[in-house]
Amino acid sequence: MIPGWAREVLRRPAGVFGAVVIALLVAAAIVSVFWTPRDPFAADPFQRWLGPSAAHPFGTDGVGRDILSYVLAATRTTVLVAALSSVVAALVGLVLAAIAALGPRWVREPLAVLIDVLIAFPVLLIAIMLSAVLGSSLGTVIAAVGIGFGVNIARVSRGEIRRVARAGYVLAARASGLGPVRTLLDHVLPNIAPVFIVQLSLSAGVAVLSEAGLSFLGYGAPPSRPSWGRLLSDLQDYVTVHPLTVVWPGLAITLSVLAFNLFGDALREATDPRLRSRRRIAR
């Protein structure tokens, strides 16, 4: 049985495109754990810079690695970063938003200012600072993206939590003796879930782009872990000589980010009652 919000998402071309690409991305990541056409790190100096063929559908790079195998293996890194950074962003955003919206005044007002200050720091800058202290690793990328976008989620969710917290049914629940934590979990969070889920879908797109950018700069995944950004970094000096080689990792990054963003937009349109009411009025 497909939930109503899922049917609404799949009625939109953007939602279908996003869902299909995300499903293919996850499927490729799972398949690459067990199988790739060739060893993604196997170098063959006699197979350098081959064009697309039946043996190497995406060609080979400057050390003779099969680009298709490397791109498939790198989807594991992309999916892992997108999933774990979204979990971190959800936890950070939820905790900050709840405290900034429902905490005592002497806590929530300074915290709201702190959130506004932290939003000014780009995710890439946070990741580079963390990498300088902790060293380059996938965990640093996940923490940086999760914290960086978690602050954005807190900014958006704070207003929604305050709006819902003033609703009559929430006030009635608190008047009946329900504690603040139970009120938050039972009444507030279910009513801000659409906004929260949309923000998480957008954070996944930011995570894909951030991981690729950080790996390109040398602050992301270690050399032992395949990454689309690292592959682009390895190929950048040869882009004018072998331009087709950079198309495949670049296309993978572009389609993944576009899919997460389009899916998030379709999800927002499907779950936001205010947008649905506006469309009814327009009709």
Side-chain angles (χ1 to χ4, degrees), residues 23-162:
L24 290 175
L25 187 67
V26 174
I30 295 173
V31 169
S32 68
V33 174
F34 307 100
W35 174 86
T36 54
R38 298 175 184 272
D39 184 347
F41 291 103
D44 186 349
F46 299 103
Q47 301 289 322
R48 299 171 65 246
W49 302 121
L50 296 180
S53 64
H56 303 281
F58 288 0
T60 61
D61 64 3
V63 295
R65 294 179 301 187
D66 181 60
I67 294 178
L68 173 60
S69 299
Y70 192 95
V71 168
L72 281 176
T75 58
R76 300 199 300 265
T77 303
T78 299
V79 171
L80 182 66
V81 171
L84 294 183
S85 62
S86 295
V87 172
V88 174
L91 294 175
V92 171
L94 179 59
V95 171
L96 291 179
I99 296 174
L102 304 177
R105 183 174 181 180
W106 63 271
V107 173
R108 68 172 184 263
E109 291 188 356
L111 185 57
V113 174
L114 178 62
I115 290 173
D116 290 336
V117 172
L118 292 176
I119 287 177
F121 290 90
V123 173
L124 287 177
L125 180 59
I126 294 174
I128 291 173
M129 291 189 296
L130 288 177
S131 297
V133 177
L134 303 175
S136 300
S137 68
L138 209 59
T140 302
V141 176
I142 292 170
V145 175
I147 294 172
F149 207 85
V151 174
N152 288 274
I153 292 177
R155 172 75 179 277
V156 175
S157 301
R158 174 177 173 265
E160 290 296 312
I161 290 177
R162 296 193 67 181

Side-chain angles (χ1 to χ4, degrees), residues 246-272:
V246 302
V247 169
W248 310 116
L251 186 62
I253 295 170
T254 302
L255 288 177
S256 299
V257 175
L258 182 63
F260 280 114
N261 283 299
L262 289 179
F263 186 79
D265 288 341
L267 189 61
R268 179 177 63 85
E269 293 178 1
T271 57
D272 193 334

Side-chain angles (χ1 to χ4, degrees), residues 194-195 267-279:
V195 175
L267 189 61
R268 179 177 63 85
E269 293 178 1
T271 57
D272 193 334
R274 289 170 293 184
L275 291 177
R276 290 199 299 267
S277 62
R278 289 173 188 170
R279 286 196 296 270

Side-chain angles (χ1 to χ4, degrees), residues 106-231:
W106 63 271
V107 173
R108 68 172 184 263
E109 291 188 356
L111 185 57
V113 174
L114 178 62
I115 290 173
D116 290 336
V117 172
L118 292 176
I119 287 177
F121 290 90
V123 173
L124 287 177
L125 180 59
I126 294 174
I128 291 173
M129 291 189 296
L130 288 177
S131 297
V133 177
L134 303 175
S136 300
S137 68
L138 209 59
T140 302
V141 176
I142 292 170
V145 175
I147 294 172
F149 207 85
V151 174
N152 288 274
I153 292 177
R155 172 75 179 277
V156 175
S157 301
R158 174 177 173 265
E160 290 296 312
I161 290 177
R162 296 193 67 181
R163 178 183 62 82
V164 174
R166 291 194 293 265
Y169 57 88
V170 176
L171 296 177
R174 297 181 65 180
S176 66
L178 199 64
V181 176
R182 287 294 305 278
T183 302
L184 178 68
L185 296 177
D186 295 346
H187 298 285
V188 177
L189 292 185
N191 286 281
I192 70 163
V195 175
F196 200 73
I197 293 173
V198 169
Q199 291 299 312
L200 286 180
S201 68
L202 297 177
S203 75
V206 173
V208 172
L209 193 59
S210 299
E211 187 278 322
L214 289 168
S215 296
F216 182 87
L217 296 173
Y219 292 99
S224 59
R225 183 177 288 272
S227 168
W228 294 336
R230 184 173 297 279
L231 181 59

